[in-house]
Structure formats: structure tokens, C-alpha cells
Amino acid sequence: MPGGAKVRICGLIQYVNLIGIGVGYTIATSISMMAIHRSNCFHKNSRKSPCRTPSNPYMIIFGIIEIVLSQIPGLDQVWWLSIVASVMSFTYSGIGLGLAIAKIAASGSIKGSLTGISVGTISRSKKIWRSFQAIGDISFSYCYSFILIEIQDTLKSPPSEAKTMKKANLISTVVTTFFYVLCGCMGYAAAGDLAPGNLLTGFAFYEPFWLLDIANIAIVVHLLGAYQVFSQPIFAFVEKQVSKHCPRLLCKLVTKEIKIPIPCCSRQYSLNLFRLVFRTSFVLLTTVISMLLPFFNDVLGILGAIGFWPLTVYFPVEMYIVQKKIPKWTARWIFLRLLSLFCLTVSVMAGVGSVVGVVLDLRVYRPFKTSY
């Protein structure tokens, strides 16, 4: 396949996944907002109270906030959002880990097993599909790789962006992997087969309710920033292409910046009408899709399946082979090809399991009506 075609295919998959991540984060934020409502409801009434609440109002609130945040012109100007999101990530991960350890200590036993949820608690076929879906959820954790280049473009030299990014990538991968694997293992050890998809929103723990609220607030703040980090590359790409290829008269409207004074500040905000319309439309699109398919784990599994193999494995492997000029049929060439084939198999399994999960969810879900 010609190099130009590969670049276009890679770009298409990347941007489709970034849109999907926006959908996933909208769903996740609404779930955390609902969890705060239900946590307080359970504490006030009882755990047996239904405390049901619709997700749509929370998605709309999230969408309104993102419309405002999306008017930030570029990724280099949302660095502070990234820092806040990182702090929030460690906050809710630490709380979840602490609650799991406290529950294990209180019960004096470790629940669950090395083989996962037992057949009998669920059917054998459901266990297979859920296992495939779990692979997709794990694959989704590689979504950070989609925007490494965009983040690298915002770094200053010296040292070189590539050198800084290599070190940052290594540290962040090790730290986040350690935290999330530990949270997953401890959460399963604390709740066993009844462990929900999300420990903090699925009520593996009920008390202290105020600590659960803090954790879910941290998730909301984290995802508010993360949404922007993953959406900004789409905004930049579309706006660049439109300004590059639009007719001369239309370009004046697309590129025109209207200076608006900021009260109590000497600076001015540059309002661009095309940016306002396009970015608002993008947020509305992801919000509506989220309201139609509010199935967090299944959506994550599908996104992980779609993006993991081509963007995290296939294209990087192909580039590495070309860059290092690895001869065909050598041991290294064969290993890389087998690795790519194995990861393709993983992606297919994850995609099938997640699609089955969505189909099962749709049997009982009524768009814009179902409450949780």
C-alpha cells in the first residue's frame, strides 16, 4: 500500500477514535455525576432505596461546560487542564485503592479468584463475552498513544522534543500501569465476583459517602480536562484544512478574529466564528451519541478494539521495520510480524465481545428514557 494511503488511513482511524473517546468521556462523567447523587441518596435513605436518576441531564451539563472549554484556541494553551486532570487522576485512584484495602482489612479475607468471575454467577457464554470485553477495556488504556505527536509539538527545545517525550512516556506508562493494575487487583480482591465495572460508581463501597463523592468529583474534573486534550487535535486538523482549502471570500470569515476584552483583565479573547460553530457542533454531536449509547464499558471496549491494533501496534511496527531497515525473514522481522498478528487477534476478540455487550444492553435500554 502506498505510503500516502497509509498516512490517510492512519489519520482516519486516529480521528474516529478521538471522537469516540469524547463520547466515552461524556458517558463516564455522567456516570460519576449520577454516582454522587445516588451516594447521597443511599446515605440519606437506605441502600435498598432505588435512588434512580436519568443520565441525560448530567450529559447535557457536561456538554455545556465543554462547549465553553472548547473555545480555548489550541492544545498548547490547555497545559494547565492537563496538570489538573493528572492530579485528579491520582486523587480518585488513591481513594479507590484505599477503600479497597480498607475493605479487605475489615473482612479479613481476599475475595475472587485467579480465573475471574465464576460460572454459575453468570453463564459460560456471558463469561466469554465479558472476558473479550475486558480485553477491549484494557486496550483502551493505550489511547494516550493517539495524541503523543500532538503533545510533542507543544514541547520546547532544548532538549529535543523526542528525547523529552521518550522519558515522559516511560515514566507516565510505568506509574499509571502500576496504579491501575493495583486498583483493579485490590478492587477485585475486595468485592470478588460482585465487583462492578467501576469501583467508585458501581458501589463496591457505600461508606464513607463523602469520600466517594470526593473521588467522583475528581473523576468529573479529570474528564473535563481529558476531553479537551483528546479533542484539540481534531479541532486543529479541521480548522487547518478548512482555512487551507476554503474559497478566498469564505476564508476571510473563517480566519477572522474578533477581539473581545476580558473584564478585570488587560488581555483580550480572540473569538473566531468558525471555531465557535464547529467546536460547539462537535461537542453537541458527542453529547447526543452519548445519550443514545450510554454503555460505558462496552463503548470503551469497542474504542479499544478499533484503535489498539492499527495505531498502537501495526503502524508503529511498520515504521520501525522501515526505519531500522530490518531484512525480511530475519528473527526480528518474524517476531514483529507475529506480535502484530497476535495483537490483531486480541483486537478482534475485544471488538466482538464489546459489540455483543452493546447488543445485550440495547435489549433493555430505551433512548432518552432509561434511568440508572
Side-chain angles (χ1 to χ4, degrees), residues 197-262:
N198 186 321
L199 295 173
L200 297 172
T201 61
F203 293 96
F205 322 105
Y206 288 89
E207 296 290 346
F209 79 100
W210 56 268
L211 190 58
L212 283 172
D213 289 351
I214 292 173
N216 280 297
I217 290 170
I219 292 175
V220 171
V221 175
H222 171 210
L223 295 180
L224 282 169
Y227 183 102
Q228 286 302 311
V229 171
F230 283 94
S231 298
Q232 286 289 339
I234 302 175
F235 299 157
F237 173 76
V238 172
E239 289 162 12
K240 182 179 178 181
Q241 293 301 313
V242 169
S243 62
K244 188 176 178 181
H245 299 292
C246 67
R248 186 174 297 177
L249 291 176
L250 185 60
C251 275
K252 290 183 179 180
L253 180 63
V254 170
T255 58
K256 185 177 179 181
E257 299 282 345
I258 302 171
K259 301 295 182 181
I260 300 177
I262 301 175

Side-chain angles (χ1 to χ4, degrees), residues 52 183 208 212 242 258 263 283 307 331 345 361-362:
R52 298 177 72 83
C183 285
L212 283 172
V242 169
I258 302 171
V283 175
T345 306
D361 288 336
L362 286 173

